[in-house]
Amino acid sequence: AQKITQTQPGMFVQEKEAVTLDCTYDTSDPSYGLFWYKQPSSGEMIFLIYQGSYDQQNATEGRYSLNFQKARKSANLVISASQLGDSAMYFCAMREPYNNAGNMLTFGGGTRLMVKP
Amino acid sequence: KAGVTQTPRYLIKTRGQQVTLSCSPISGHRSVSWYQQTPGQGLQFLFEYFSETQRNKGNFPGRFSGRQFSNSRSEMNVSTLELGDSALYLCASSPSAGPLNTGELFFGEGSRLTVL
């Protein structure tokens, strides 16, 4: 079974609108972390936001927020007020420190977001 | 504060050759991990080093190896290159590791390897 599933291969959003990128995960680790990264065409993976499994509140970082629903095992990324520079690949990833005792990340297949002017 | 630095950024090799890629983590970070990104397989974990010790290894053949130096800089080596090794190789650094680790992971810009 896939550990991280991103069901939207590609998405369009109008500039200045909000968009939600979906991510579901599967783990038996009691303590895990969820990450979102942005990868522009240059290739660099840019860290956006992190949510720990025991965090009580949803993580927010500027225009990025993570809609964390633990019971449903989903960690959707919400980008508010989209900008043209948001056009990129977006990856959801999970760290399972107990299962892997380290910093190994498992990535989803990614969602290509295209922002229309 | 300088980010994660990977060298070289681009390189072209031929089948059968070997290649060494370098990663300098963020100052103070002791964990360095490596990932391979290809269009077909996506992002796959190669290995992680922490305080010069390999902590985790992904499902890659023995041709892929790595090491970490006392200053936390890391190198990965691929011997007897195959066409399928063409990929973007990404390095990530983190300040810590272990079950209670909630630290962020920061990536470099990657080394893009083309095997002809």
Side-chain angles (χ1 to χ4, degrees), chain A residues 63-83:
Chain A
R63 295 187 298 112
Y64 305 106
S65 61
L66 200 151
N67 183 3
F68 181 48
Q69 299 186 47
K70 194 170 181 177
R72 297 181 60 186
K73 293 189 174 180
S74 76
N76 298 338
L77 176 71
V78 180
I79 306 175
S80 64
S82 297
Q83 302 171 357

Side-chain angles (χ1 to χ4, degrees), chain B residues 1-39:
Chain B
K1 195 173 187 181
V4 179
T5 304
Q6 291 188 245
T7 57
R9 291 289 316 281
Y10 302 91
L11 65 166
I12 299 173
K13 294 284 187 178
T14 57
R15 280 180 297 174
Q17 288 186 312
Q18 68 93 25
V19 66
T20 298
L21 309 178
S22 178
C23 173
S24 293
I26 292 171
S27 177
H29 286 195
R30 295 164 63 192
S31 165
V32 174
S33 47
W34 290 88
Y35 293 81
Q36 182 197 64
Q37 185 177 24
T38 60

Side-chain angles (χ1 to χ4, degrees), chain A residues 31 35 37 39 41-47 50 52 61 91 95 97-108, chain B residues 9 31 33 35 37 43 45 48 55-56 88 90 94 96-109 112:
Chain A
S31 173
F35 299 77
Y37 289 90
Q39 188 178 43
S41 56
S42 61
E44 181 183 6
M45 297 287 282
I46 302 169
F47 168 80
Y50 168 82
E61 291 283 352
F91 291 95
R95 175 172 58 202
Y98 278 95
N99 286 344
N100 299 305
N103 282 311
M104 172 183 165
L105 291 182
T106 303
F107 283 87
Chain B
R9 291 289 316 281
S31 165
S33 47
Y35 293 81
Q37 185 177 24
L43 281 148
F45 172 79
E48 179 194 6
R55 294 178 60 91
N56 275 308
L88 179 66
L90 291 159
S94 176
S96 57
L100 299 181
N101 179 29
T102 58
E104 300 164 347
L105 271 78
F106 296 96
F107 283 82
E109 292 182 304
R112 191 169 294 277

